[in-house]
Amino acid sequence: MRARCLIVDDEAPARADLRYLLSRFDHVQVVGEASNSEEALLLLDSLDYDLVLMDIRMPGGTGLDIARKLREAANPPRIIFTTAFPDYAVEAFDLDAADYLVKPFDAERLARALDRALASRAEEADAQPVPRRSEGSESPHRIPVHKGDRTVLLNESSIVYAGAARGYSYLQLADERVLVNFSLNELERRLRGSHFFRAHRSYLVNLDYVRELAPDFRGTLMLLMDDPRKSRVEVSRRQARELRRVLGL
């Protein structure tokens, strides 16, 4: 599985440079970007990241402040500081940083930092595999979605259904369709305990938007959704009986 990485830097060109360097590593996937400490903490609370590549000096709080807060987490990501200021290295390593890269650095230097960070995280996971969020948590689920250089956190209530096609997944919202960096199975795990139902191997549907159940000509069911597009979602034969049970039919 590819390591999930969050980039935290207040300068857009610096984030773009990191994203470009990280694109060379097949075992790492950038799934979030933040331009300040507040955005970073929101993203870190919404998803379990394996890696954080983070600047030191940013508006609203430093990377060191974020690292201190992450030490309180049950399964914190490994942090690689990427900064133009060499004078914070001692404090960074005191906060269990995996590495400290002074800009500019190249892909070879980054590769060594990634290897060190992921190796230590794997050792920690083997020693004590503790989930950060318990199943059955009633807190609202939010899905991070990239829009340009921003990462938007979508509330589950805005998702009509999720679909998978040709190697990617998407979320169908009321007024648009957006791509996400999660498989449908992963989305199902993140939304477990909410009002979502796996209607088909290719569809995960929000039951709050189901307006009508209609028989399909193949003998299965079709869900007619209550959204502006009047979406239709297929229910597999295997799942049709379970859906009727869930809906009390």
Side-chain angles (χ1 to χ4, degrees):
M1 182 176 291
R2 301 171 72 185
R4 297 170 177 162
C5 179
L6 173 66
I7 295 174
V8 185
D9 199 300
D10 62 321
E11 298 183 359
R15 296 197 302 273
D17 289 343
L18 277 175
R19 198 185 318 120
Y20 172 74
L21 285 175
L22 289 167
S23 69
R24 305 185 184 188
F25 302 96
D26 293 337
H27 62 300
V28 177
Q29 180 182 22
V30 177
V31 296
E33 294 184 19
S35 61
N36 56 56
S37 60
E38 183 179 3
E39 289 180 3
L41 290 171
L42 278 172
L43 292 174
L44 287 163
D45 188 53
S46 69
L47 179 66
D48 287 333
Y49 290 90
D50 301 296
L51 289 169
V52 180
L53 271 63
M54 184 160 55
D55 195 8
I56 295 285
R57 295 184 181 178
M58 295 178 291
T62 70
L64 297 172
D65 295 331
I66 296 172
R68 290 188 189 95
K69 292 183 179 180
L70 286 177
R71 295 184 78 181
E72 302 171 2
N75 187 27
R78 300 299 285 148
I79 298 175
I80 299 173
F81 284 103
T82 58
T83 177
F85 304 99
D87 41 327
Y88 296 98
V90 172
E91 189 173 358
F93 284 116
D94 283 344
L95 292 170
D96 299 326
D99 213 329
Y100 192 97
L101 307 186
V102 179
K103 303 173 184 176
F105 51 85
D106 57 17
E108 182 178 353
R109 179 65 182 90
L110 178 58
R112 294 199 300 272
L114 293 174
D115 288 344
R116 182 177 295 115
L118 293 176
S120 63
R121 182 164 174 82
E123 291 172 0
E124 290 173 358
D126 289 340
Q128 190 175 10
V130 179
R132 288 182 63 187
R133 177 178 291 126
S134 62
E135 291 188 15
S137 171
E138 297 301 325
S139 59
H141 301 81
R142 294 183 292 179
I143 306 297
V145 174
H146 293 303
K147 290 193 174 183
D149 62 352
R150 300 178 300 134
T151 301
V152 179
L153 299 178
L154 293 179
N155 285 325
E156 61 179 27
S157 59
S158 66
I159 303 169
V160 180
Y161 67 89
R166 298 185 180 182
Y168 66 90
S169 299
Y170 62 88
L171 303 178
Q172 181 62 57
L173 311 179
D175 53 357
E176 63 177 327
R177 175 176 291 187
V178 295
L179 300 182
V180 291
N181 290 314
F182 304 105
S183 68
L184 205 60
N185 286 340
E186 194 165 9
L187 284 170
E188 185 178 13
R189 287 194 295 271
R190 286 179 60 83
L191 297 169
R192 182 174 296 167
S194 61
H195 297 164
F196 285 80
F197 179 80
R198 188 66 176 265
H200 189 278
R201 66 180 181 180
S202 298
Y203 298 108
L204 180 66
V205 64
N206 187 342
L207 295 178
D208 288 342
Y209 282 91
V210 174
R211 175 172 55 87
E212 184 178 340
L213 280 68
D216 184 73
F217 69 92
R218 291 167 295 182
T220 59
L221 288 176
M222 188 69 66
L223 300 180
L224 308 184
M225 310 302 290
D226 189 15
D227 66 316
R229 294 167 52 91
K230 304 300 180 187
S231 301
R232 300 168 66 90
V233 179
E234 181 182 356
V235 182
S236 70
R237 290 178 182 271
R238 178 179 297 178
Q239 291 297 89
R241 179 178 297 179
E242 177 64 13
L243 176 61
R244 288 190 177 96
R245 186 193 68 78
V246 169
L247 295 177
L249 301 176

